[in-house]
Amino acid sequence: MRTLLAAVTAPSTGRPAIGQAQFSEAQFDSDAEFSRVKISGDAVFTEAKFGGAVLFTGAEIEGAAEFGLATIEGKALFQKAKIKGHTSFQGATVDGDVMFLKAELGGAAYFSNAGITGEAWFAEAQVRGDCRFELVQIGRGAYFGTAQIKGDVHFEQAQIETGDVTFAGAIVRCGGVVFRGTRIGGDVLFDGVEIDEGAEFDGAKISGQVRFEGADVGGGALFDDAEIGGDVWFRGAQFGSDTAFRKTLFDRAVSVGPLACRGTLDFSEAVFNNAVIIEAAAVSVCCRRTRWMSSATLRLRYAAVDLSDAVVEYPLTVAAPPRPFSLGRRDMREPGLTDPRVQVVSLRGVDAAQLVLNGVDLSICLFAGTVHLDQLRLEGGYCLGTVPSGLRWRGVRPVRWTPRRPLAEEHHWRAGRSRDADGWTPAPPKVDVLAPAELAPVYRALRKSLEDGKHEPGAADFYYGEMEMRRHADDIPRGERSLLTAYWALSGYGMRASRAFGWLLAAMTVTVLLMVLWGLPQEDPSPQSAGTLTSGTISMTTKTPDPVNPDGPYKERLSGERFDKSLQVVVNSVIFRSSGQDLTTFGTYTEMVSRLAEPVLLGLGLLAIRSRIKR
């Protein structure tokens, strides 16, 4: 039998009206209906027992609504109710639904440790305070769609057995939502939600999917140690601070994003069991020790990416799309993100055999310690660092660095040397500075990677870096170091054609000068013939006198005729040909030296040209 409230009707509203409603420890055999009742004070039903439903549809309570430790064997219906104080169902048991559809709560809502076998409905409700659902047990879902809450929402350690948690279109002002350690048997639906602070799901176990499509979360989101059984939808979501998925298990996720994060997007130690595409615009993306159990693609904008110790068992592509992510008819907003580059910060500890980097910035990337670095694939418009530009002084000697693309580790090493520090980038804190002997294999592996990809010109810079590190290494013999120094000085390790041709031109100039001054004889020797007539037989003997060393003033030797002859001698010697010109002893030895040295310089110059145009 239904229990009805006996009350005086308020003349102004036509509603039943009473003052304080004190029903602590009361027992109701059946439904208790307080629909459209106006209570000018508190409504206290602490430890009350209801044999049926509790009906406060359209009721107005000027004070608080207290149902702590109450037992309700039916529904608790508060649709369109207005409660100016707080609402408490702490420790209460409700054998049915709890419905605050379109209700207006002037204070906090406390449901900690409550047990609700049905659904918890707060759709379109207005709550001017916190919503506390710690340790609550809900049988079939919690629905806060389009609700407006001014405060925090707490579901720590709650259990929602079979239904969804829905905050689609909800607005949470001056607070955040916390589902730390919560078990959710359905989906988490936060599409279009607006949250001033953060969303925390640390340690949550979610059987279904997680949707934040079009959400705007001012303080970021935390999913550390969470388990997500379904897909992850963050299409167009905006996060104002760090968003973390550390140690999160993505069981069947196929896509994450596209989303925008004005802080760090952290996937450290996360596990992706399925093939996945991650699309994000963020300040940084951290994937330390992240494990991909299938193929994956990271399409990133603006981010600095850290892949240290990531486990890559299947193809992984890191790409930098040039245009904003499309959300259908419009592009995704990217507020607060200014640097358009996607920089890979570290590949240390990664097995690069399955790794592809497309269009990223590698100027600060740490490569040392990468496994199978020679199998790394670099595609698109990737870029590396540069050497200090301009003319610099080393004491009284001017120095200019040869233009090339050094690794970040070489920057760190040179910045630590007092003689080279100017213009080179020092190592960041907690980053070890490696010696040249440790950097040479890194350059060698990257060179092989590009050579295997038929990108010989791109491999040239890595070869130059490898030779530089070998020349400066402490573990090579002095003779080998001297040989490498000469190789560097003469032709830039066979990579600098201008240097080799410059030395060739200088050598030819010196040789021509030596030939003009001392190499050509005073005059070309004239052959002399003598004959003997014996019994009608003439015997002829021809002798060519030895060339006579030139004498006289040097100015007289510097004639056009002697210059022309000397130039012919030198040009022929460059291509291993003998000029046939009679020379003095000094000139003969000079020609021998030039025929040995100058073709080598010519070959080094041609080798450098070939290294830049080889396909």
Side-chain angles (χ1 to χ4, degrees):
M1 180 176 179
R2 177 173 292 179
T3 300
L4 302 177
L5 175 67
V8 177
T9 301
S12 60
T13 62
R15 293 172 175 269
I18 61 173
Q20 296 282 349
Q22 296 289 340
F23 291 89
S24 297
E25 301 184 12
Q27 295 188 11
F28 298 83
D29 294 335
S30 60
D31 295 346
E33 183 172 358
F34 295 81
S35 299
R36 302 187 73 250
V37 167
K38 183 175 182 179
I39 302 175
S40 60
D42 296 334
V44 181
F45 291 83
T46 306
E47 298 187 51
K49 295 183 179 180
F50 298 86
V54 175
L55 309 174
F56 275 77
T57 303
E60 293 185 12
I61 302 175
E62 297 292 330
E66 296 279 358
F67 287 80
L69 300 176
T71 301
I72 304 172
E73 296 183 5
K75 299 178 179 180
L77 306 181
F78 286 77
Q79 295 100 317
K80 299 183 180 180
K82 296 181 180 181
I83 304 172
K84 290 189 176 181
H86 66 265
T87 302
S88 176
F89 276 74
Q90 295 188 84
T93 301
V94 182
D95 190 11
D97 299 335
V98 172
M99 302 191 71
F100 281 79
L101 183 66
K102 298 183 179 180
E104 297 181 15
L105 308 184
Y110 300 102
F111 283 76
S112 302
N113 291 288
I116 303 171
T117 61
E119 300 171 341
W121 278 89
F122 283 78
E124 300 183 60
Q126 297 183 22
V127 184
R128 294 178 178 83
D130 296 343
C131 292
R132 314 288 305 206
F133 285 78
E134 295 97 332
L135 297 170
V136 70
Q137 295 186 10
I138 302 176
R140 298 200 307 274
Y143 302 93
F144 287 76
T146 66
Q148 297 185 27
I149 303 170
K150 190 173 183 180
D152 293 321
V153 179
H154 289 267
F155 273 80
E156 289 100 326
Q157 304 298 324
Q159 293 190 23
I160 301 169
E161 297 178 3
T162 59
D164 303 333
V165 174
T166 301
F167 277 76
I171 300 175
V172 181
R173 299 297 184 202
C174 304
V177 297
V178 182
F179 284 78
R180 191 178 299 116
T182 304
R183 294 177 179 269
I184 302 172
D187 300 332
V188 173
L189 307 176
F190 277 67
D191 295 346
V193 70
E194 295 181 22
I195 304 174
D196 281 356
E197 296 184 9
E200 299 184 27
F201 288 80
D202 303 43
K205 298 184 184 299
I206 304 168
S207 299
Q209 61 181 333
V210 175
R211 296 180 62 100
F212 275 75
E213 188 166 353
D216 190 345
V217 183
L222 300 177
F223 285 81
D224 295 347
D225 291 299
E227 297 181 11
I228 302 175
D231 203 358
V232 179
W233 289 83
F234 284 83
R235 182 179 173 84
Q238 301 281 327
F239 297 94
S241 185
D242 296 344
T243 298
F245 294 86
R246 291 180 289 261
K247 297 184 179 180
T248 301
L249 173 62
F250 296 89
D251 194 22
R252 292 193 296 272
V254 297
S255 65
V256 179
L259 62 89
C261 176
R262 292 189 289 275
T264 298
L265 184 60
D266 195 345
F267 291 97
S268 296
E269 299 186 59
V271 178
F272 292 87
N273 286 335
N274 206 0
V276 65
I277 297 176
I278 300 175
E279 297 178 310
V283 174
S284 62
V285 176
C286 186
C287 296
R288 294 181 178 178
R289 299 183 181 178
T290 304
R291 179 182 293 271
W292 282 279
M293 307 301 292
S294 187
S295 60
T297 300
L298 274 64
R299 296 174 184 159
L300 307 173
R301 287 175 55 80
Y302 303 97
V305 189
D306 188 351
L307 294 171
S308 300
D309 299 311
V311 179
V312 183
E313 300 181 5
Y314 294 86
L316 171 65
T317 300
V318 180
R323 295 178 56 84
F325 298 110
S326 176
L327 300 178
R329 296 184 178 180
R330 62 181 179 87
D331 292 336
M332 186 181 73
R333 295 185 300 111
E334 299 172 339
L337 302 174
T338 56
D339 189 347
R341 297 177 299 171
V342 174
Q343 294 183 299
V344 178
V345 176
S346 175
L347 294 178
R348 290 186 171 181
V350 177
D351 188 340
Q354 302 283 352
L355 183 59
V356 179
L357 303 179
N358 191 332
V360 298
D361 187 335
L362 300 172
S363 59
I364 61 173
C365 183
L366 303 179
F367 287 97
T370 305
V371 181
H372 295 141
L373 184 57
D374 60 324
Q375 299 180 39
L376 173 67
R377 290 177 57 189
L378 300 178
E379 299 179 353
Y382 68 90
C383 61
L384 291 157
T386 58
V387 299
S389 60
L391 190 66
R392 299 172 185 273
W393 293 89
R394 184 177 295 169
V396 296
R397 182 164 59 93
V399 175
R400 179 180 176 272
W401 296 103
T402 302
R404 61 185 179 91
R405 300 183 293 178
L407 299 182
E409 286 98 335
E410 182 179 347
H411 266 271
H412 303 164
W413 170 70
R414 290 192 182 275
R417 305 176 72 205
S418 58
R419 59 182 297 182
D420 292 339
D422 187 22
W424 294 91
T425 305
K430 300 182 180 180
V431 173
D432 295 333
V433 177
L434 303 181
E438 299 172 280
L439 293 179
V442 179
Y443 274 112
R444 187 179 305 120
L446 288 171
R447 172 178 61 84
K448 183 177 182 300
S449 171
L450 293 187
E451 289 176 345
D452 292 344
K454 307 302 180 183
H455 187 12
E456 296 286 349
D461 279 341
F462 292 139
Y463 174 73
Y464 193 103
E466 175 190 352
M467 298 301 289
E468 275 286 273
M469 296 301 100
R470 285 182 57 192
R471 182 166 70 93
H472 289 286
D474 296 330
D475 59 347
I476 65 170
R478 180 175 299 179
E480 182 179 349
R481 189 192 308 278
S482 300
L483 182 62
L484 290 175
T485 301
Y487 192 22
W488 162 77
L490 292 176
S491 65
Y493 308 112
M495 296 287 108
R496 301 293 181 260
S498 60
R499 191 179 303 181
F501 286 131
W503 279 111
L504 175 61
L505 181 61
M508 292 176 64
T509 301
V510 172
T511 305
V512 168
L513 182 61
L514 293 176
M515 286 294 182
V516 170
L517 295 177
W518 298 288
L520 296 179
Q522 181 74 25
E523 295 180 355
D524 291 336
S526 298
Q528 298 177 359
S529 299
T532 303
L533 178 61
T534 305
S535 301
T537 302
I538 298 177
S539 300
M540 301 293 295
T541 302
T542 301
K543 295 182 179 180
T544 302
D546 294 334
V548 177
N549 291 329
D551 55 12
Y554 288 131
K555 290 184 178 181
E556 294 181 0
R557 304 182 196 179
L558 297 174
S559 64
E561 180 181 358
R562 292 177 64 84
F563 174 79
D564 181 64
K565 291 181 179 180
S566 299
L567 184 61
Q568 292 182 32
V569 172
V570 174
V571 171
N572 280 296
S573 68
V574 171
I575 55 176
F576 290 102
R577 292 180 56 188
S578 174
S579 64
Q581 173 69 45
D582 292 319
L583 302 174
T584 64
T585 303
F586 180 85
T588 300
Y589 282 106
T590 300
E591 184 186 34
M592 292 171 58
V593 173
S594 68
R595 290 178 64 184
L596 175 65
E598 290 168 6
V600 172
L601 294 174
L602 176 64
L604 291 174
L606 296 177
L607 177 65
I609 294 176
R610 180 179 179 275
S611 69
R612 292 298 181 181
I613 63 175
K614 182 179 179 182
R615 297 179 59 185

